């Protein structure tokens, strides 16, 4: 497991639920439905049910985080892409195609005054000849509704 986050979600039946999202080195994110709070200490009925799997990253998923959009999670991977997912269905909503040849090592989603999702992420690469490490930090406004994440540099 490479990353974990908890998402407050709303099901199709408009029921509020919590989901645990776990990422791994094999390119998948598993979304697990948490049992209701009053059943978490009860042995019967306290099982965690798998809600969905999110497939698409090629290799390691380095980070998965919740967004401010309903049921949407955002992930960054070793393939240099950032992707947005519907955690209820596991379907990819949008992606940034190849941000870099370097892996996306960390990311976060914030919200600005206009209720836009803002994503911050960093990439780290090593120059093989000199051995020097270069860290790049980016802040972008993202639209989680389109096929591709639209980036507006801030």
């Amino acid at each position: 497991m490479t990353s974990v986050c908890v998402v407050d979600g709303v099901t199709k039946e408009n029921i509020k639920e919590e989901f645990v999202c776990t990422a791994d080195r094999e390119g998948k994110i598993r979304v697990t439905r948490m049992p209701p709070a009053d059943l978490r200490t009860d042995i019967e009925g306290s099982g965690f049910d798998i809600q969905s799997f999110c497939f698409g990253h090629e290799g390691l998923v380095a980070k998965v985080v919740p967004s401010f959009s309903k049921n949407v999670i955002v992930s960054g991977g070793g393939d240099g892409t950032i992707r947005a997912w519907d955690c209820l269905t596991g379907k990819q909503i949008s992606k940034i195609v190849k941000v870099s040849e370097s892996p996306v090592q960390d990311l976060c989603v914030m919200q600005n005054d206009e209720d836009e999702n803002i994503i911050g992420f960093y990439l780290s690469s090593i120059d093989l000849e000199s051995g020097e490490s270069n860290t790049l930090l980016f802040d972008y406004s993202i639209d989680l509704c389109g096929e591709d994440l639209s980036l507006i540099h801030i």
Side-chain angles (χ1 to χ4, degrees):
M1 190 174 348
T2 57
S3 182
V4 177
C5 75
V6 176
V7 177
D8 292 324
V10 179
T11 64
K12 292 178 186 172
E13 296 81 26
N14 220 18
I15 299 170
K16 291 184 179 182
E17 297 207 36
E18 289 180 305
F19 300 94
V20 176
C21 304
T22 57
D24 66 25
R25 295 185 174 275
E26 286 136 18
K28 74 176 180 297
I29 300 165
R30 181 173 74 179
V31 180
T32 307
R33 180 181 297 201
M34 292 179 68
D38 58 334
L39 295 178
R40 290 184 193 155
T41 56
D42 186 9
I43 292 176
E44 288 187 37
S46 63
F48 288 71
D49 296 325
I50 295 174
Q51 174 70 32
S52 64
F53 285 98
C54 306
F55 296 104
H57 282 286
E58 296 172 17
L60 162 80
V61 179
K63 192 76 170 182
V64 60
V65 296
S67 76
F68 289 90
S69 298
K70 185 173 90 173
N71 301 330
V72 175
I73 56 175
V74 179
S75 63
D79 58 2
T81 64
I82 296 174
R83 299 166 190 254
W85 310 89
D86 179 326
C87 70
L88 293 182
T89 64
K91 291 186 179 177
Q92 182 175 294
I93 299 169
S94 52
K95 72 176 179 177
I96 298 174
V97 182
K98 277 288 188 198
V99 174
S100 170
E101 294 300 319
S102 300
V104 175
Q105 294 184 328
D106 201 1
L107 60 91
C108 65
V109 177
M110 301 156 282
Q111 204 168 36
N112 66 9
D113 294 336
E114 289 83 38
D115 290 336
E116 295 174 314
N117 285 284
I118 304 295
I119 189 166
F121 61 95
Y122 79 85
L123 311 165
S124 183
S125 62
I126 297 175
D127 185 315
L128 296 177
E129 287 185 25
S130 69
E132 290 182 22
S133 175
N134 298 312
T135 300
L136 306 170
L137 178 64
F138 300 91
D139 289 318
Y140 288 98
S141 171
I142 60 172
D143 175 9
L144 295 175
C145 300
E147 186 173 309
D148 291 327
L149 293 175
S150 59
L151 296 180
I152 306 161
H153 195 294
I154 295 174

